Amino acid sequence: MSMKYTQTTLDKVEKIAEEMGYIVRYERGSFQSGFCILEEKKVVVLNKFLQLEGRINTMIDLLPQLKIDADALTPDSRKWYDDIMGKFHSSKDEENSDSSPA
């Protein structure tokens, strides 16, 4: 599945977090990475000034840091989650192979 930067994509990525009980909010603030996680309250706060592509990329970067039980996701969300995590792990593998000594 190729990632398209549309509102539908953002909705699907946000839905993964919401299915795990997280509330996704957009607020003003001085965010270093575009988001913060209030773990005790399961709230994800994203910088409201991010454009659509930035919101999608931030949510994708954020998913590995959330407590996600993939088995509890709906089939559609599970498919998206597996695809996102596959891309995340393959990009991390590339970073690690680039930094390994020759």
Side-chain angles (χ1 to χ4, degrees):
M1 157 186 345
S2 67
M3 193 65 60
K4 293 182 180 154
Y5 293 104
T6 65
Q7 185 61 46
T8 301
T9 301
L10 178 61
D11 293 343
K12 287 180 183 279
V13 176
E14 286 178 351
K15 188 171 186 265
I16 294 169
E18 289 167 355
E19 284 182 18
M20 292 295 99
Y22 287 88
I23 297 166
V24 179
R25 293 188 351 209
Y26 291 89
E27 303 282 342
R28 293 190 307 169
S30 55
F31 301 94
Q32 284 207 318
S33 55
F35 69 89
C36 73
I37 304 169
L38 306 173
E39 195 61 52
E40 310 78 49
K41 296 184 191 257
K42 291 186 106 172
V43 175
V44 175
V45 183
L46 285 90
N47 189 328
K48 75 184 245 174
F49 297 111
L50 289 172
Q51 298 298 317
L52 181 64
E53 184 174 341
R55 290 179 178 199
I56 293 168
N57 288 333
T58 300
M59 282 299 299
I60 288 171
D61 290 345
L62 175 65
L63 282 179
Q65 299 175 49
L66 301 179
K67 293 182 174 104
I68 304 288
D69 176 5
D71 294 330
L73 294 171
T74 61
D76 187 49
S77 290
R78 173 68 185 258
K79 182 175 162 219
W80 277 84
Y81 180 73
D82 289 344
D83 186 58
I84 290 167
M85 293 310 292
K87 285 183 171 69
F88 175 78
H89 289 302
S90 65
S91 71
K92 287 295 174 203
D93 290 344
E94 288 173 20
E95 286 176 19
N96 291 339
S97 65
D98 289 347
S99 62
S100 61

